[in-house]
Amino acid sequence: MLAGPPVLMALWVIFSFVIPAFAVQLNSIVIAGFPLGFYMAAQGSLIVFVVQLFIFAKQQDKIDREFGVAEDD
């Protein structure tokens, strides 16, 4: 299994609530000329959410195949 539901939920909470809550403090760290708080809001969180969507889809496909209700490829 790629990652269990508690891990994925924890990542979602971190990138949805915790990092934005500390955006001002994160802005003191600069990456490629952009403050980290700005980068995480503009790109970082979105990248994590898209990766999570692919993980969720893969896990759901595995469950569907296990119970014989998967779509044909």
Side-chain angles (χ1 to χ4, degrees):
M1 189 174 232
L2 296 170
V7 172
L8 293 173
M9 184 60 94
L11 286 174
W12 179 79
V13 168
I14 289 168
F15 283 94
S16 295
F17 299 109
V18 176
I19 289 178
F22 293 101
V24 174
Q25 291 86 350
L26 290 173
N27 282 336
S28 64
I29 302 169
V30 177
I31 296 176
F34 295 101
L36 184 60
F38 169 78
Y39 175 77
M40 290 307 295
Q43 299 295 327
S45 295
L46 297 175
I47 291 169
V48 170
F49 296 146
V50 169
V51 169
Q52 280 189 317
L53 286 174
F54 282 103
I55 292 171
F56 288 147
K58 187 166 181 74
Q59 288 176 340
Q60 187 61 50
D61 185 56
K62 182 180 175 185
I63 293 168
D64 289 348
R65 290 186 189 283
E66 179 182 338
F67 291 97
V69 293
E71 294 183 13
D72 295 332
D73 289 329

